[in-house]
Amino acid sequence: MAAYGALVSLMHIIDRLENHPSPPISINKQQVESLTENVTFLQDFLDAYISPVVDDHEADPLERRIADAVYAAEDVIESQIVLQIHNRSTIRGKKSSFVNLFRARCKCATIDRNELEVGVNAAEDFYHDLQQVIEEMNFIKKEATEIATAAQLQRKVSSTHAGSSSTVKEIMMVGFDEVLLEVLDKLTGGQRSRQIIPIMGMGGIGKTTLARHVFQHALVKHHFDIFAWTTISQTYSVRETLREVLFQASGDSRSDLSEVELRLALHKYLWGRRYLIIMDDMWSTEVWDKIRSSFPDCENGSRIIVTTRLSNLTLQLGESYGVGMKFLDEASSWDLFTKTVFGGESCFPHELEDIGKNIVANCKGLPLSIATIGGLLAKSERTTEYWMRIEQNLNSIVIRNNDEFCLKILRMSYTYLPNYLKPCFLYMGVFKEDRRIRASMLKKLWVSEGFLKPTSNGKCLETIAQEYLKELVDRNMIIVDKLGSIGNVKYCKIHDLLRDVCLKEVEKERFYHIIEKSPSVIDNECRRLVFKNGGVSRSLSHARSIICDEKNFEMPHNFRLLRIFKEYDRDTNQFGVGVHFLGDVFQLVNSRHLAVKLHRNSEFPSSINLLWNLSTLIVQQSAFHKFVAPIEIWKLHQLRHLEFVEKALILPDPPSDDIVIMENLQTLKGVMNLYLNEEVVQRIPNLKKLHLVYHWEDMEGLIELKQTERANSFSYLQCLSKLESLQCSTDYGYDDEYLQRISFPHSLKKLKLSLYNLELVEILQKIGWLPLLQKLVLHGGAFKTGKWDTIEGQFRSLKLLQLHYCNGLKNWTMAENSHFPLLHELRLRGLRQLEEIPSEVGEIPSLKSITLKGCSKSAVESAKKIVEEQQDLYGDQLDLHVRAIVRKEHERLQSLASPNFEVEDFLDAYNM
């Protein structure tokens, strides 16, 4: 919801001004208190508020007024900030506050009296403008108080629900035979104690349908004595739930019983009987906590099935078993579609088959979508023209065709989201359909947009963003598309139908505006703009975010209040010429997030110090071009992420006269020849990601240092006690001098070293004892003795080991498989001298994958032997897969292919 997100954002602005070491403006203390009080009250109000607006096409007027008032407050504050920063940049020595300006007037005759008067007048105007906004918020607060008092903010109990039995019958039970058998087995076998069986999945995936089939199954009817079905929903009533279960179980329809009497009556009736209770569409464990005492455990095999959209509800219910509903595969999707459209007919019209398969593919395995579109086609003309029209407008037809069934089910997932998650979910619509969204990029944008509400325990915003992402995944609102090497979410997606629901809410709330073609008519009040093609020439003074998803965007100089400018994306932008100069970009002094492609002649200006609130700076150069950062970069108090894609940023020594601790800085990527010392590491105490590159030919500054000082530079890494990810690459002539004394912090989880010819055995001794290390990538370096003997107790947490072109390794020995107890994946490349992979590697219980590319024939053959030994032990249950990429001339290796041993041609793999 736009109003809630705006309130959180405004509070961020106030907090940053209050806590910044050199804020560009100051706000009257009384006004700060009034704003904070109003924001806090309205956030609490919205958390309990039930909108009376029934029409889904219109925004709630009260929520719109709240959002507009908050936006007005932001406009007043940020306009004043921009004004003061620009004034400060044009008058040397000018201070940010007008009190200091007056003091400067007494000391410096170069400041004009007119400028002073203008400044004082501007300060007075700022106070009055902000006061007007506060008065409007006071009026809204008064109205909200009256609404809260009148309604007592109690949720109405819904007597009907979108997931009731009258609608779920529309989806046939197709593609879930194995899941059905799994649930039946759990119902009728296993433990005699009462058990809860959660069935989990996104809206429309068939949870209720599965539960209905279970409920009506002959085996279940024979096994249990008592049956009851109740729909919980978000707006449940404990009393009504108990009354409904009692009525279905016993036929007792008395409505005069109190809640306590209902609890006792239900418990008494169920005692000693084997019962099956279905609780459909549960949104939290709160209702179960209130009614669980009514369901006795008589050790007779009673069961309770819970359907839910929340994947994490299993643990909350104290159960270790849950049934996850997945999307239908291609065959099952087609089966459901044909049965829905043609019933029992076995002959599908040939001229419609290809179109039908395209329609099914676009449904992305969601039974709700397939059944809805199939139901429409079953009642419509069977012509290629009509079906092609349906194919082209699939999602909008699915949403609009059956509003009571389809849209209501899908929209419910959004409606019942907590307010703090709604802006994050709505932001998913910024990205094009079917787009793989990099989770790290998404979280940076959430932070910069100001959506994330700080917690009382002091968690950093990135941690909160990670928790929000996980919660949206657990609620099946976001799909995990790819996991990272250590199990983190690397890419995510949103289902097309949920994206359409998202875009409808976005349009209603005016949350952002998507511009497909240029020129476009744009509401001047729109604060977030998503450009799919081209730019815009008109003034957009209210714009706060510009997202360019595909192409270069030639930005006009009229976005004075812009916070987010994302023009570069590593997953969509191809390497090419950028259009921006850093000097122009840094004119956006209100910026929080800048991700840009730079013109080849761009330089790094000192005006970066004007960006008082910058949190993310991501730069892609059009060619390798060194950027020497000005010393002012060390004064960016709010900076959280600094990334130079082409690894060519040179940082100066920090200033000794103005010590700013960059306590928010977490990411530092693409830095060249960074000289680490005590002063540097003290400036960046909370760094989590550090990517460094060292080029000998550009080492003029470090060469002048003494040998011990150069070596000690890497020993200071251990002082970065929160560092989790370290990448470091070096070139010829560098390794031995600089890396022998390297010391790693124990906090490291990921380590990638690209070395030239460094002796690896000694450095692996240090790496092996890192207690939290989960990913290790070594590229280059040498085993000068030809041996690597792993040691018991090392690499205790390692999940991924990757060795690329590590010269000289012939003999790799392991005494026990416990040397890598958690290893999940092993990747070997260019190890042409390696005689074999230790057989103990195959005995590691967690190992799932081995990949070899360009390795010796004997190493490939040893991998095959590992697979054969493990197959003898586990047979078809073997969960280890080996992929060997070899050259065509190695015919002997080509013949080793088997189900668990994939052999691929080197050139084919290269061209993929």
Side-chain angles (χ1 to χ4, degrees):
M1 120 186 356
Y4 193 89
L7 287 165
V8 175
S9 175
L10 176 59
M11 203 63 242
H12 274 293
I13 295 173
I14 295 171
D15 287 342
R16 287 178 181 178
L17 285 171
E18 290 287 292
N19 298 317
H20 199 282
S22 56
I25 66 169
S26 60
I27 303 178
N28 178 275
K29 183 178 180 180
Q30 186 175 355
Q31 289 183 322
V32 170
E33 292 174 354
S34 297
L35 283 170
T36 302
E37 182 182 351
N38 285 332
V39 168
T40 303
F41 173 85
L42 291 173
Q43 282 180 336
D44 293 340
F45 169 79
L46 288 177
D47 278 333
Y49 176 61
I50 302 175
S51 173
V53 176
V54 178
D55 185 1
D56 291 338
H57 301 291
E58 297 292 334
D60 183 288
L62 179 59
E63 292 181 17
R64 170 51 56 192
R65 285 180 56 205
I66 293 173
D68 288 343
V70 174
Y71 291 154
E74 287 188 338
D75 289 345
V76 171
I77 294 171
E78 292 186 323
S79 294
Q80 183 70 1
I81 289 172
V82 171
L83 174 65
Q84 292 311 301
I85 290 176
H86 281 310
N87 285 344
R88 185 197 308 173
S89 67
T90 56
I91 302 176
R92 180 172 298 181
K94 186 172 182 181
K95 304 299 181 181
S96 59
S97 74
F98 288 106
V99 173
N100 288 332
L101 178 60
F102 178 75
R103 291 173 180 168
R105 175 67 180 87
C106 298
K107 297 178 181 179
C108 182
T110 60
I111 299 178
D112 187 84
R113 180 181 299 276
N114 291 331
E115 291 171 347
L116 179 61
E117 292 175 355
V118 169
V120 173
N121 290 336
E124 292 176 353
D125 291 342
F126 168 57
Y127 177 88
H128 291 304
D129 290 344
L130 188 56
Q131 193 61 36
Q132 284 185 333
V133 175
I134 291 172
E135 289 172 3
E136 170 64 13
M137 294 180 73
N138 287 336
F139 186 78
I140 295 173
K141 177 184 174 183
K142 181 179 179 182
E143 184 177 335
T145 303
E146 293 172 354
I147 293 173
T149 302
Q152 297 181 357
L153 294 178
Q154 293 180 349
R155 296 187 178 274
K156 298 178 181 179
V157 178
S158 176
S159 59
T160 61
H161 193 265
S164 64
S165 60
S166 62
T167 58
V168 296
K169 292 179 181 178
E170 296 184 34
I171 300 181
M172 285 180 272
M173 190 66 188
V174 174
F176 295 117
D177 293 341
E178 292 185 5
V179 180
L180 175 62
L181 291 175
E182 182 183 358
V183 176
L184 289 175
D185 181 66
K186 192 66 178 177
L187 286 175
T188 58
Q191 301 178 13
R192 296 187 57 80
S193 61
R194 183 199 67 194
Q195 287 185 296
I196 304 174
I197 305 173
I199 299 176
M200 305 162 294
M202 72 171 281
I205 205 164
K207 303 180 299 296
T208 302
T209 303
L210 174 62
R212 183 64 62 183
H213 276 72
V214 168
F215 194 68
Q216 297 173 347
H217 199 279
L219 179 63
V220 172
K221 291 293 185 183
H222 176 76
H223 185 76
F224 292 95
D225 305 319
I226 294 174
F227 305 86
W229 179 294
T230 182
T231 298
I232 302 297
S233 85
Q234 187 85 335
T235 55
Y236 69 87
S237 162
V238 171
R239 185 175 180 277
E240 287 301 312
T241 298
L242 291 169
R243 192 178 68 82
E244 184 175 7
V245 174
L246 179 61
F247 171 70
Q248 292 190 35
S250 67
D252 188 343
S253 60
R254 286 181 295 168
S255 59
D256 58 338
L257 297 180
S258 67
E259 184 178 311
V260 174
E261 290 170 331
L262 285 168
R263 291 179 193 275
L264 294 174
L266 182 58
H267 187 278
K268 181 178 180 181
Y269 189 81
L270 294 179
W271 182 265
R273 295 179 170 93
R274 183 186 294 162
Y275 56 84
L276 171 63
I277 311 296
I278 309 286
M279 296 186 179
D280 191 30
D281 207 18
M282 184 179 287
W283 291 82
S284 74
T285 59
E286 183 181 84
V287 61
W288 173 244
D289 293 337
K290 293 178 179 179
I291 66 175
R292 65 188 307 163
S293 61
S294 301
F295 300 94
D297 184 1
C298 299
E299 296 288 336
N300 60 357
S302 293
R303 300 288 187 263
I304 298 171
I305 289 179
V306 171
T307 71
T308 178
R309 305 184 193 199
L310 312 180
S311 296
N312 60 346
L313 203 67
T314 300
L315 295 177
Q316 294 179 23
L317 289 168
E319 297 292 319
S320 58
Y321 178 89
V323 177
M325 299 285 287
K326 302 183 183 299
F327 294 107
L328 294 176
D329 60 23
E330 183 179 348
S332 297
S333 296
W334 181 246
D335 190 18
L336 175 59
F337 180 73
T338 55
K339 287 181 178 178
T340 305
V341 177
F342 296 105
E345 297 181 24
S346 59
C347 182
F348 198 101
H350 177 72
E351 67 275 11
L352 298 178
E353 186 169 346
D354 289 342
I355 304 173
K357 288 185 176 179
N358 288 337
I359 290 173
V360 171
N362 288 330
C363 289
K364 308 294 174 59
L366 185 66
L368 173 66
S369 178
I370 298 170
T372 300
I373 204 70
L376 173 64
L377 292 174
K379 302 172 184 177
S380 305
E381 54 184 308
R382 298 178 183 179
T383 65
T384 55
E385 293 79 13
Y386 182 78
W387 278 44
M388 288 177 68
R389 190 160 66 248
I390 295 296
E391 177 191 357
Q392 293 167 1
N393 300 280
L394 179 66
N395 285 348
S396 60
I397 291 172
V398 172
I399 292 291
R400 295 170 186 165
N401 180 60
N402 193 340
D403 183 70
E404 288 301 314
F405 176 54
C406 192
L407 179 58
K408 197 170 183 180
I409 285 179
L410 293 173
R411 190 176 182 276
M412 195 180 301
S413 294
Y414 171 76
T415 301
Y416 290 159
L417 278 179
N419 283 331
Y420 61 83
L421 289 179
K422 286 182 177 179
C424 297
F425 172 73
L426 292 183
Y427 211 74
M428 300 295 290
V430 162
F431 307 99
K432 65 183 292 187
E433 190 174 355
D434 292 328
R435 165 78 183 277
R436 304 174 80 207
I437 304 166
R438 186 177 290 270
S440 59
M441 177 266 294
L442 179 65
K443 289 182 286 187
K444 287 184 180 75
L445 288 169
W446 285 351
V447 170
S448 298
E449 289 281 5
F451 293 157
L452 310 180
K453 188 177 181 180
T455 58
S456 57
N457 58 8
K459 289 181 182 177
C460 74
L461 293 177
E462 282 73 13
T463 300
I464 297 173
Q466 178 63 33
E467 292 174 353
Y468 283 14
L469 179 65
K470 182 180 184 302
E471 190 167 352
L472 286 169
V473 169
D474 288 341
R475 290 173 175 272
N476 291 287
M477 301 293 284
I478 290 179
I479 302 167
V480 176
D481 186 68
K482 182 179 179 181
L483 291 175
S485 56
I486 63 173
N488 55 305
V489 178
K490 189 170 184 177
Y491 287 98
C492 59
K493 277 186 174 182
I494 180 173
H495 192 279
D496 291 351
L497 289 182
L498 276 175
R499 182 175 181 272
D500 286 346
V501 172
C502 171
L503 293 179
K504 284 182 177 296
E505 292 298 320
V506 164
E507 182 179 6
K508 182 179 74 174
E509 298 273 355
R510 290 187 287 170
F511 193 64
Y512 48 78
H513 184 73
I514 296 178
I515 302 167
E516 298 285 355
K517 295 181 180 180
S518 198
S520 177
V521 177
I522 304 172
D523 185 349
N524 276 335
E525 297 299 316
C526 191
R527 303 174 80 80
R528 297 182 184 90
L529 304 173
V530 182
F531 288 91
K532 300 297 184 182
N533 189 14
V536 63
S537 58
R538 62 182 297 177
S539 175
L540 294 167
S541 59
H542 288 277
R544 290 301 197 281
S545 300
I546 298 290
I547 308 293
C548 311
D549 204 24
E550 290 292 335
K551 297 184 178 181
N552 286 340
F553 177 84
E554 192 166 352
M555 181 182 61
H557 300 285
N558 55 12
F559 296 110
R560 64 188 186 91
L561 299 180
L562 200 65
R563 299 171 184 160
I564 314 292
F565 181 40
K566 178 189 165 296
E567 185 249 1
Y568 168 73
D569 190 310
R570 62 187 290 190
D571 294 312
T572 59
N573 288 107
Q574 299 297 317
F575 184 83
V577 178
V579 298
H580 303 290
F581 291 88
L582 272 181
D584 295 335
V585 174
F586 287 175
Q587 293 301 309
L588 304 171
V589 298
N590 201 43
S591 296
R592 299 178 186 174
H593 183 110
L594 295 172
V596 294
K597 290 173 66 175
L598 295 185
H599 191 280
R600 60 169 56 92
N601 295 326
S602 185
E603 298 293 337
F604 211 132
S606 61
S607 57
I608 191 172
N609 69 319
L610 300 180
L611 279 60
W612 76 283
N613 207 14
L614 185 66
S615 63
T616 297
L617 177 61
I618 301 173
V619 171
Q620 193 242 339
Q621 309 94 290
S622 59
F624 183 80
H625 171 62
K626 288 184 290 184
F627 281 86
V628 180
I631 200 169
E632 286 82 1
I633 199 169
W634 290 102
K635 300 180 181 181
L636 296 182
H637 176 75
Q638 296 292 347
L639 192 63
R640 311 178 78 87
H641 308 282
L642 178 61
E643 303 179 21
F644 270 64
V645 177
E646 299 305 317
K647 304 175 183 178
L649 174 65
I650 298 176
L651 287 178
D653 293 335
S656 57
D657 59 333
D658 188 4
I659 299 178
V660 174
I661 305 300
M662 302 176 72
E663 58 186 18
N664 292 307
L665 188 65
Q666 298 183 36
T667 305
L668 190 55
K669 292 184 179 181
V671 181
M672 185 195 303
N673 299 342
L674 178 65
Y675 172 58
L676 293 167
N677 57 28
E678 184 177 359
E679 186 176 4
V680 170
V681 298
Q682 285 180 349
R683 300 289 186 108
I684 50 176
N686 297 317
L687 200 66
K688 292 185 177 180
K689 295 182 180 180
L690 177 61
H691 295 185
L692 302 172
V693 60
Y694 289 87
H695 293 302
W696 179 255
E697 62 183 16
D698 296 310
M699 293 296 294
E700 294 90 349
L702 291 183
I703 289 174
E704 297 174 0
L705 297 171
K706 294 180 180 179
Q707 170 90 14
T708 54
E709 291 179 351
R710 293 201 302 269
N712 286 336
S713 173
F714 280 105
S715 69
Y716 281 100
L717 280 171
Q718 66 180 331
C719 300
L720 298 173
S721 60
K722 296 186 179 180
L723 192 66
E724 297 179 358
S725 176
L726 172 64
Q727 289 189 25
C728 182
S729 63
T730 65
D731 61 9
Y732 175 76
Y734 195 91
D735 297 334
D736 293 335
E737 248 184 302
Y738 286 85
L739 289 171
Q740 291 297 344
R741 299 189 190 180
I742 193 168
S743 298
F744 301 105
H746 284 188
S747 54
L748 275 185
K749 296 180 180 179
K750 298 180 182 180
L751 176 61
K752 179 178 180 180
L753 297 177
S754 297
L755 311 168
Y756 184 77
N757 198 36
L758 183 72
E759 168 59 58
L760 291 176
V761 171
E762 184 177 344
I763 203 167
L764 279 168
Q765 289 278 5
K766 298 178 181 180
I767 295 171
W769 296 113
L770 295 174
L772 304 178
L773 190 67
Q774 299 179 50
K775 177 180 179 179
L776 173 61
V777 177
L778 291 179
H779 187 103
F783 290 88
K784 296 181 179 178
T785 64
K787 297 180 180 180
W788 183 28
D789 299 321
T790 56
I791 300 173
E792 177 70 31
Q794 290 193 329
F795 302 105
R796 304 300 299 174
S797 301
L798 199 66
K799 295 180 179 179
L800 169 65
L801 174 61
Q802 186 168 315
L803 302 177
H804 282 187
Y805 301 104
C806 300
N807 297 324
L809 181 58
K810 296 181 180 179
N811 301 311
W812 175 13
T813 60
M814 289 173 54
E816 300 287 343
N817 61 9
S818 59
H819 287 200
F820 296 88
L822 299 180
L823 191 66
H824 186 275
E825 186 174 2
L826 174 64
R827 301 175 188 170
L828 306 176
R829 183 172 184 176
L831 303 185
R832 303 185 185 281
Q833 297 172 282
L834 180 64
E835 294 179 354
E836 65 176 7
I837 302 172
S839 59
E840 290 81 5
V841 168
E843 300 170 5
I844 299 172
S846 58
L847 189 67
K848 306 296 181 186
S849 170
I850 300 176
T851 302
L852 302 96
K853 184 174 183 180
C855 294
S856 66
K857 290 192 291 184
S858 60
V860 176
E861 290 168 347
S862 70
K864 175 64 175 179
K865 184 178 179 181
I866 286 173
V867 169
E868 291 175 340
E869 291 174 348
Q870 296 304 304
Q871 280 180 330
D872 290 341
L873 291 173
Y874 299 102
D876 294 339
Q877 303 300 314
L878 180 62
D879 197 20
L880 172 63
H881 182 83
V882 175
R883 179 172 178 243
I885 302 169
V886 302
R887 298 187 181 276
K888 280 187 176 180
E889 56 265 27
H890 295 160
E891 295 181 5
R892 165 81 177 88
L893 300 180
Q894 297 279 353
S895 66
L896 298 178
S898 66
N900 286 78
F901 193 87
E902 177 186 357
V903 181
E904 190 174 344
D905 181 71
F906 190 90
L907 291 178
D908 291 341
Y910 180 81
N911 293 326
M912 287 180 62

